[in-house]
Amino acid sequence: VQVVESGGGLVQPGGSLRLSCTASGFSYIISVMGWYRQAPGKQRELVALITSEGNTNYVDSVKGRFTISRANGKNAMSLQMNSLKPEDTAVYYCKVVALSDYWGQGTQVTVSS
């Protein structure tokens, strides 16, 4: 089993980034995949979740700015982040909810001028 994120980087306030996550080694379609983030000195928090049926859930602070999506029938998802703010700066992690929880290694997102 492997969970890999990509797409982080440095962006100016108001800019956009797209994160991707691919989960491999699963013999079935994962029911729930999610993005979490952890800023320095803070606890890891949920950003967005998506089910295999395409149902989504977002933390209030990113509603209207972030969009989570998932490829049909695949264990892969993306997070489109628009109108980024400095407070979005964090390490972003992909989480797979299966028989156990699996986490990616994280990708750094820095929003700064």
Side-chain angles (χ1 to χ4, degrees):
V1 170
Q2 193 173 21
V3 179
V4 179
E5 306 101 334
S6 62
L10 172 64
V11 64
Q12 293 186 341
S16 299
L17 280 175
R18 185 176 182 88
L19 306 182
S20 296
C21 172
T22 300
S24 59
F26 294 90
S27 60
Y28 52 89
I29 301 300
I30 298 165
S31 59
V32 179
M33 299 181 72
W35 288 99
Y36 289 70
R37 65 186 180 188
Q38 187 166 19
K42 294 188 177 181
Q43 290 188 332
R44 191 173 297 188
E45 66 169 353
L46 170 67
V47 176
L49 290 173
I50 188 165
T51 71
S52 55
E53 292 80 21
N55 297 314
T56 60
N57 189 31
Y58 298 90
V59 66
D60 285 346
S61 61
V62 307
K63 286 181 180 177
R65 300 189 298 121
F66 291 11
T67 302
I68 190 171
S69 60
R70 187 164 172 180
N72 287 336
K74 294 186 178 180
N75 291 328
M77 68 170 178
S78 296
L79 185 68
Q80 178 65 42
M81 305 185 294
N82 298 329
S83 302
L84 282 161
K85 304 176 181 180
E87 51 263 43
D88 294 317
T89 295
V91 178
Y92 283 70
Y93 296 91
C94 174
K95 179 182 177 180
V96 169
V97 180
L99 295 177
S100 298
D101 291 347
Y102 298 90
W103 293 88
Q105 80 287 353
T107 185
Q108 177 70 47
V109 172
T110 302
V111 185
S112 175
S113 55

